[in-house]
Amino acid sequence: QKPGRPRAPGSPVAGPLHAAGPGRLPGSRSRRSRPVSAAPAEGTGGVGRGAGTPGPPGPPGPPRDGAPRHWALRPAQTRPRRGPSPSTPPGPGRSLRPRAAKGGRTATPQNWTLDPAGDWHYRWISLMVLPILYNWVVLILRCCFPEVQEAHAGLWQALDGLSDVLYLLDIAVHLHTGFLEDGILVRDARRTRWRYLGSWSFPWDVVAVLPTELLCLLPGVPRVPGVPAARANRCLRVPRLFEAFDRCETRTGWPNAFRMAKLMLYLLLGIHWHACLYFALSARLGLGADPWVCPSSPRLLRRYLHSFYISTLVLAMVGDTPPAQREEELLFLTAGFLLAVLGFATITGSISTVIVNLSSAGSALYPAAGPVRRYLRARGAGGRLAARVARWHQHLRAQRKPPAEWRVLRHLPRGLRAEVAASVHLAALRRVGLFRGWERGVLRQLVLRLRPQVFGPGEFVCRRGDVGREMYFIREGRLAVLAADGVTQLAVLGAGLYFGEISLINIKGNMAGNRRTANILSIGYSDLFCLGKEDLAEVLAEFPSARAAMEAKGRELLLRMGQLDTGAEAAALAAEAEAERRLRGLEAALEGLQTRAARLLAQLEASALRLALRVRRLEGRLQLRDGAVRDRAGRDGAARADGAAGTAPPQQPAGPQGPTGGQGPTRAQGSTEARDVLRAHRPPTAPGPSEVQGAPRAQEPGSAGGQGGTGMQGPSKAQGPHRAQGPSDVPGAPKAHGSPTVQGPLRARGRIGARGPRGMYGPGGAQAPLRAQGTPMAQAPLRAQGLPRARRQIGTRGPGAMYGPGRAQALRRARGPSGAQRSTGAQDVPGAQGGPRGAGVPRD
Ligand SMILES: Nc1ncnc2c1ncn2[C@@H]1O[C@@H]2COP(=O)(O)O[C@H]2[C@H]1O
């Protein structure tokens, strides 16, 4: 079918083509152009021509040219891209800030969605602290001190307006603040908007900015004294204040100081509110009317400060307030004290937490000197040793060398911990000669295995003869290498060097084995990195060059110290070379074996595939043949029925090819089935050539092998008609049916038809018809050829072998009884009584 030509219904290519495209072959011109026209063209998502053409974003509609929908619905290509994917986590190099559009064709659309953990968002909520605090401080002041409101009405109006603008802007910012979904920042503007609009904070924020003061201007509404009271809803914005404080607390470098400042702010705010309310009550009761109320003073500040002082006495539970006399005063004072209990307890608790935090932060970094001192005292080991311990602790704190930093970092995830440790120690590690040139990533892995240790002056880091368990890299300080006498100084090691490796790496000929070869004494304070034996082995396994460098240096030192047994070293080297050689030989042998095994496996697979294909082909042929046989049998049966009824004279078969001539599906089929039919029809005195030649031809291995299934079926088919007419049938048949001409072949065909090519392959199926024929001899070969065994034969001996024995057996057995059967079977045929018996003889 040519491209573009309409397909005929039911065309074999219709399926694949339909799946691939709208009735066009892949690669045709219209196929390439169609998706572009059908799918909306986009900036980056298109394919083929016009992929880069900007087009209107939107859902892909039905294609204009009537192409099937699946052309247009290709989500990966047709989805409009608006900047970065909303669910794509920002890469390491991508900023979370709103990005300015860049010029040029590759400009990305601006995305003003804020990262809630980002800097811009933090700055914004920090700014929002101002209007919220303004409303919390000033509104109550203006309500309770009317002079304040009246004196600066214009200023308050301006500030109120500014605060409202900021509140509204904050709603806008909220609408454009991303959120995390499955740990990934969602920056899609639509989704962030809907998320905020659907949350409880949206109505809350709206209520907090409603212009409630305008209600006071409505006629009939009683004027709220001092309009500020009508703005009380502005205080509802306090959750944003808490959010800002929380964020600041996690970001600041002085969280404890911040916590203290926050507490003080809450305290002052509480006192401020109490003072305002106290003044309002005093003004209502009459300023200076009794000792409890605020005295009347011409100065506003004086009155406020007096109120603030009284409130501090109440809320700080200091007491010593003027005695309350009126009920209102008593109630107010009692409420104040109750609040004070609550507030004071909270504040005291918070302050103590801050103090504990402060001290625990120090103790987490530095080991506490107290317990060691007490331990030494308890054990009676004070004196100079205790002084040294104290000096060591002092050195750590003074020099800010926390040895227990790993304890602090242990809560971090491994990757982050490696980053932190690398940022702190990488510079020091790079100074170590061994690590020079190592990649940063490797050093980052190494730094997690290193443990910082600080040794004081006069301390031995290791002693000669000790078993080596770790090696050291010198970060800071000087250390002396002392000989066996503990006095002779062999060398002085400084920052960037390492020691303690000889006893860890197995240097050939090292007479010390895994024991230290020298004493190492810290001259002053030494800041070292310690690396354990296992960790070192892992590192060296990855870096053979580092191992070689270490071994070379260790060998040189051992030689200098006279601790290298060169004879043993040579022997070890020779043994190693020999082992290496043998290993290589084994490896080569193994490789050869593997290659052979792979080749054999490939051969096995190929032959299995071949055989499977052949079996399938044979099955197909058998099915075809069986169908043809059934057709022919039906036709012949009808013809014979006609003959028996006397409506038509007996017909001579069509030549030596049998009734079907050369049109049968297979030659064997023609020879076996046609032969049977011929035999049934042929007068007994005129045996046709096919009677004599047909059967042997069907039994010839060549003819059977050439036609696949015939070989399999040949014997049983050869037996089929004969055994059907076999000894047991012979006497019964004519008696039962009165018309033996019809009866014999018909019965035979019925059996053949019942057997079927599939039944042939199944063990039961193969045996059933034959068993029904009462020929145990015939069952044996077929049973032997049941599918599983037949398959096994295919696998092991090949198709020839499969057909060989089974077929030979079957034929052999078939020949034995079938001769007799044929002769007896011929008795079924009316014309065959007498002379025709000989027709079967030559075949045997
Ligand atoms: N002469 C030397 N000069 C420098 N370092 C040495 C010398 N002798 C021994 N060392 C180091 O001192 C370490 C003592 O422990 P090790 O034997 O494990 O490894 C030793 C070497 O790293």
Side-chain angles (χ1 to χ4, degrees), residues 39 65 77 140 215 303 386 419 438 444 470 556 582 647 744:
D65 54 359
Q77 294 168 354
I140 186 80
L215 292 175
R303 275 178 285 166
E419 287 286 337
W438 285 25
R444 226 169 36 197
E470 61 269 304
E556 196 185 311
R582 290 180 62 184
T647 54

Side-chain angles (χ1 to χ4, degrees), residues 638-648 739 742:
R640 206 163 303 135
D642 290 347
T647 54
S739 176
V742 179

Side-chain angles (χ1 to χ4, degrees), residues 463-469 500-504 510-518 533 558 563:
R463 289 185 183 271
R464 191 173 189 271
D466 289 351
V467 173
R469 291 201 172 82
E501 80 289 3
I502 294 179
S503 55
L504 302 190
N510 178 6
M511 288 153 71
N514 63 346
R515 308 246 163 210
R516 298 288 188 197
T517 55
K533 188 172 180 173
L558 285 170
Q563 291 207 31

Side-chain angles (χ1 to χ4, degrees), residues 108-425:
T108 46
Q110 287 184 357
N111 187 338
W112 290 103
T113 307
L114 289 177
D115 175 6
D119 289 343
W120 283 103
H121 187 259
Y122 175 62
R123 282 174 200 146
W124 174 255
I125 58 174
S126 302
L127 178 68
M128 280 305 293
V129 168
L130 295 177
I132 297 167
L133 276 184
Y134 161 79
N135 283 313
W136 270 86
V137 172
V138 173
L139 283 181
I140 186 80
L141 185 75
R142 282 158 62 193
C143 284
C144 300
F145 292 87
E147 301 100 305
V148 175
Q149 165 68 15
E150 283 153 18
H152 310 284
L155 175 70
W156 299 135
Q157 256 182 9
L159 289 177
D160 284 352
L162 186 62
S163 131
D164 288 354
V165 168
L166 286 173
Y167 272 31
L168 287 170
L169 280 177
D170 190 45
I171 289 178
V173 167
H174 234 140
L175 287 168
H176 289 92
T177 301
F179 60 94
L180 290 183
E181 191 179 71
D182 298 330
I184 298 166
L185 178 68
V186 176
R187 298 171 69 101
D188 182 39
R190 263 173 67 96
R191 295 185 63 196
T192 54
R193 210 178 304 143
W194 280 110
R195 192 167 188 271
Y196 175 55
L197 293 178
S199 71
W200 64 266
S201 52
F202 174 66
W204 190 267
D205 291 349
V206 169
V207 169
V209 80
L210 282 179
T212 40
E213 63 268 35
L214 295 181
L215 292 175
C216 305
L217 305 178
L218 292 176
V221 175
R223 269 185 76 90
V224 182
V227 172
R231 287 175 57 85
N233 60 328
R234 305 308 196 276
C235 294
L236 292 177
R237 213 50 190 279
V238 74
R240 202 58 161 165
L241 184 79
F242 295 147
E243 188 188 345
F245 284 170
D246 280 352
R247 196 61 55 79
C248 188
E249 199 173 311
T250 49
R251 281 195 162 225
T252 180
W254 301 281
N256 287 313
F258 180 81
R259 257 174 243 146
M260 295 287 285
K262 194 172 70 177
L263 271 176
M264 288 305 294
L265 178 74
Y266 291 159
L267 190 66
L268 288 174
L269 208 57
I271 294 172
H272 170 74
W273 270 67
H274 192 270
C276 292
L277 293 175
Y278 166 75
F279 183 80
L281 183 65
S282 299
R284 195 162 173 279
L285 295 176
L287 293 176
D290 61 48
W292 188 84
V293 294
C294 183
S296 174
S297 165
R299 290 192 62 208
L300 179 72
L301 184 63
R302 167 87 196 191
R303 275 178 285 166
Y304 177 74
L305 285 179
H306 179 86
S307 305
F308 199 87
Y309 169 72
I310 296 291
S311 297
T312 309
L313 290 181
V314 173
L315 292 184
M317 303 236 298
V318 179
D320 202 21
T321 51
Q325 286 157 11
R326 293 185 240 185
E327 286 93 1
E328 297 91 335
E329 294 170 6
L330 282 168
L331 279 173
F332 188 81
L333 205 57
T334 309
F337 279 132
L338 284 175
L339 270 177
V341 172
L342 206 68
F344 207 71
T346 311
I347 288 164
T348 315
S350 301
I351 289 177
S352 63
T353 308
V354 167
I355 292 166
V356 168
N357 283 351
L358 279 171
S359 56
S360 64
S363 61
L365 279 182
Y366 301 104
V372 188
R373 220 178 8 242
R374 275 199 294 280
Y375 169 79
L376 286 174
R377 212 180 297 137
R379 291 280 173 180
R384 285 184 58 202
L385 194 57
R388 272 178 65 191
V389 170
R391 274 205 303 278
W392 183 78
H393 278 109
Q394 199 178 309
H395 170 77
L396 294 186
R397 284 190 179 252
Q399 299 302 316
R400 295 181 183 278
K401 290 193 182 331
E405 60 187 15
W406 309 113
R407 252 195 358 233
V408 180
L409 301 179
R410 72 175 186 271
H411 299 297
L412 293 177
R414 193 179 161 79
L416 200 54
R417 192 166 64 222
E419 287 286 337
V420 172
S423 72
V424 174
H425 297 299

Side-chain angles (χ1 to χ4, degrees), residues 481 490-491 493 499-503 515-518 520 557 561:
V481 182
L490 300 174
L493 307 173
F499 62 90
E501 80 289 3
I502 294 179
S503 55
R515 308 246 163 210
R516 298 288 188 197
T517 55
I520 303 286
L557 290 175
M561 289 185 286

Side-chain angles (χ1 to χ4, degrees), residues 679 687 691-692 818-820 822-823 826 835-844:
R679 205 183 301 131
E691 178 70 23
V692 180
S818 67
R822 243 177 254 126
S823 59
R837 233 178 256 180
V841 176
R843 265 186 268 161
D844 294 330

